[in-house]
Amino acid sequence: MISALGRNATHRSEEMSDHFDNGRFFNPNGANGQPIWKAPRMLFERGTPWPAQVPVMQRTSLPPTSGDEIVITFIGHATFLIQTSAGNIITEPVFAERAGPFGRTGPRRVRQPGIRFEHLPPIAYVLLSHNHYDHCDLEALRALQHRDHPRVLTLLGNATLLRSAGVTRIAELDWWQRMPADMSAMRGAQTLEPAVTAGREIEITATQAQHFSARTPFDRNRALWGGFMITIDEQQIYFAGDSGYGPHFLDVGRRFPRIDLALIPIGAYEPRWFMKDIHMNPEEAVQAHLDVGARRSIGMHFGTFRLTPEGLDEPVAALGRARSAAGIDDAAFGTLDVGESARL
């Protein structure tokens, strides 16, 4: 387990991994996606046009919390604010206008964040599943570092990128490793953060995902990808990260049999010949929901950046059809509007 220990320590952990070979990580079941030279063929796929902008009612105040209640607010794409009395958590904090290098290229945001950056509460933990531009916004991470100095939990091989944004409190984890004890906002009964309630314990574990990593055409799979399980006392929230459908979802359910809420990607899945290994379609997302055994799931990774040819609203409509086909109640797996909140 790595906690900003430097390049040599990271290298040793990678060498011990059963999904790392010859300098690159891989998915053990062989579902490692299409080679990069096939990506230009995507440009010839006929797609459904998206609007340039979709109106969003941005929150100017945070949803109230009470006692040990957990409040989850959908900021957009894969960004959620999770308010807890054990410390506030943000997943994949992306506030950039474009999901690409330097914030000037790549897909443009069509929905503004449900909460503006300046309206975020103090953040104790940042969860970063991998290094793709629609999940890893270095400017937002730099701003959080300057404002809150949060603990950033990520997967192996991402610390160098994070340090380039000035982030200093980093824990690099392999699949199934837990957050180091010295990264907790709590130590015993002593509260180390003013916004944290004494007595509540938080545990964060990295989970397996089926995906890939890259920031350039030359660094594919040099860093690991994954998801996270957040355990606060007896409550569990599963953030699946970016993932194709695979046997790891059953493994998550076996290891964590009491998941209260799962945050599962449902978008950016067409064309299947290119995306199947790395992004689930809604039908597969419903099966992932069943595999992990979550009491409730919320869809994510849709309707913010046009990454693939399907229409803006198609993932939500397809989720409804897949849910009905599986005989799942609407309340068991749905979506939130940008800026909308759910409570545990």
Side-chain angles (χ1 to χ4, degrees):
M1 197 174 294
I2 310 301
S3 179
L5 296 181
R7 186 172 302 171
N8 291 337
T10 301
H11 179 73
R12 285 195 297 271
S13 286
E14 290 167 346
E15 289 298 325
M16 291 187 290
S17 172
D18 64 357
H19 38 273
F20 180 83
D21 184 53
N22 196 29
R24 299 183 192 270
F25 293 94
F26 60 91
N27 296 304
N29 64 348
N32 288 297
Q34 297 290 341
I36 192 169
W37 61 265
K38 288 192 175 183
R41 181 178 158 194
M42 285 269 292
L43 300 176
F44 297 98
E45 293 284 342
R46 183 172 296 179
T48 303
W50 281 35
Q53 286 290 322
V54 178
V56 169
M57 290 290 292
Q58 291 181 298
R59 300 188 73 111
T60 56
S61 62
L62 297 172
T65 60
S66 176
D68 290 343
E69 185 178 50
I70 298 174
V71 179
I72 301 96
T73 301
F74 184 41
I75 295 177
H77 197 57
T79 308
F80 288 87
L81 170 65
I82 305 173
Q83 294 171 261
T84 89
S85 58
N88 295 318
I89 303 165
I90 193 167
T91 66
E92 325 279 55
V94 174
F95 291 82
E97 282 297 312
R98 304 189 81 122
F102 313 111
R104 295 191 293 270
T105 62
R108 189 183 297 275
R109 179 186 288 273
V110 303
R111 284 187 169 105
Q112 291 302 304
I115 302 174
R116 294 173 63 90
F117 182 89
E118 58 266 30
H119 292 148
L120 290 174
I123 300 298
Y125 303 97
V126 174
L127 304 186
L128 183 71
S129 69
H130 66 298
N131 65 9
H132 287 158
Y133 287 97
D134 59 317
H135 294 257
C136 180
D137 176 358
L138 293 182
E139 288 303 312
L141 291 166
R142 184 176 288 111
L144 282 169
Q145 166 70 22
H146 178 74
R147 196 192 75 168
D148 297 333
H149 200 49
R151 303 147 188 80
V152 179
L153 281 78
T154 188
L155 282 293
L156 292 177
N158 288 298
T160 299
L161 178 66
L162 293 175
R163 290 191 194 103
S164 74
V167 178
T168 57
R169 301 170 81 181
I170 306 167
E172 280 191 330
L173 306 175
D174 200 354
W175 295 337
W176 314 121
Q177 286 187 323
R178 294 180 182 177
M179 173 179 69
D182 63 0
M183 293 287 283
S184 176
M186 296 285 298
R187 287 192 192 152
Q190 180 186 9
T191 302
L192 302 183
E193 301 282 348
V196 174
T197 300
R200 295 216 80 187
E201 295 293 337
I202 185 168
E203 182 179 281
I204 301 174
T205 304
T207 58
Q208 185 174 348
Q210 182 178 295
H211 201 54
F212 76 108
S213 67
R215 296 285 284 189
T216 75
F218 311 107
D219 64 348
R220 185 178 173 111
N221 295 348
R222 295 291 187 183
L224 188 58
W225 50 90
F228 297 94
M229 186 66 67
I230 305 163
T231 303
I232 302 173
D233 295 337
E234 297 300 316
Q235 294 174 296
Q236 291 188 327
I237 300 172
Y238 171 48
F239 178 75
D242 226 351
S243 187
Y245 179 75
H248 62 281
F249 288 114
L250 285 171
D251 202 5
V252 170
R254 283 191 293 264
R255 291 170 183 261
F256 302 95
R258 303 184 316 278
I259 298 173
D260 295 285
L261 177 67
L263 306 174
I264 297 177
I266 64 168
Y269 51 83
E270 295 289 356
R272 298 309 287 154
W273 68 264
F274 191 87
M275 289 291 170
K276 184 173 178 58
D277 281 358
I278 57 175
H279 285 162
M280 291 184 287
N281 63 21
E283 183 178 359
E284 292 168 323
V286 165
Q287 187 58 54
H289 161 79
L290 295 171
D291 288 355
V292 302
R295 292 172 55 194
R296 179 184 179 187
S297 291
I298 294 173
M300 64 173 180
H301 202 267
F302 69 94
T304 301
F305 300 105
R306 188 179 187 269
L307 304 174
T308 50
E310 73 266 14
L312 176 76
D313 299 320
E314 179 55 25
V316 176
L319 176 63
R321 295 191 295 269
R323 189 176 54 222
S324 296
I328 295 174
D329 187 78
D330 291 1
F333 192 172
T335 58
L336 298 176
D337 291 336
V338 172
E340 187 180 2
S341 301
R343 296 175 182 272
L344 289 181

